[in-house]
Amino acid sequence: QVQLVESGGGLVQAGGSLRLSCVASGNIFRTESMGWSRQAPEKQREFVALILNSGNTNYADSMKGRFAISRDSAKNTVYLQMNSLKPEDTAVYYCFIVVSDRQYWGQGTQVTVSS
């Protein structure tokens, strides 16, 4: 089994910053990647960013330059640094991990950006 626990969400004013954290535990020996997606009210879940075991990263176009994903392998933790936040970034942010071609999701953390 794989467990993911997100933290770091909250309320922030437009232009502000937040850092999300996600700690993975369980059978994660064959982790291939970790990342983040988000889901705004009444919208589909969308990809935000991921980081591969190689350290290579990938971002959705709208997040490039504002968001940065990183990881601490020793702590089995992935981070999402979010800067220059906009009201349209308001969403529930979900951490995911891919282990042996299977994707697991966390329960999500709410990010609310006020104008």
Side-chain angles (χ1 to χ4, degrees):
Q1 286 288 51
V2 175
Q3 295 83 39
L4 297 170
V5 179
E6 302 108 328
S7 62
L11 174 64
V12 64
Q13 288 188 333
S17 299
L18 282 175
R19 189 177 82 153
L20 306 182
S21 301
C22 174
V23 181
S25 62
N27 187 12
I28 58 173
F29 178 70
R30 300 185 71 178
T31 295
E32 296 164 18
S33 65
M34 294 185 72
W36 297 88
S37 290
R38 70 184 187 184
Q39 187 166 17
E42 300 181 359
K43 292 189 177 180
Q44 290 188 332
R45 191 173 297 190
E46 64 173 344
F47 169 76
V48 173
L50 68 78
I51 184 165
L52 300 173
N53 259 359
S54 63
N56 289 343
T57 58
N58 191 22
Y59 296 90
D61 286 343
S62 61
M63 287 74 165
K64 288 180 181 177
R66 298 192 301 125
F67 291 7
I69 190 169
S70 62
R71 69 178 182 192
D72 183 335
S73 297
K75 296 181 178 180
N76 297 321
T77 301
V78 65
Y79 304 97
L80 184 68
Q81 178 67 43
M82 304 185 294
N83 300 322
S84 302
L85 284 162
K86 307 173 182 179
E88 51 264 43
D89 293 317
T90 294
V92 177
Y93 284 70
Y94 295 92
C95 173
F96 66 83
I97 187 170
V98 179
V99 180
S100 300
D101 293 330
R102 185 173 176 180
Q103 190 171 30
Y104 300 84
W105 294 92
Q107 293 192 334
T109 185
Q110 176 71 46
V111 172
T112 302
V113 185
S114 63
S115 57

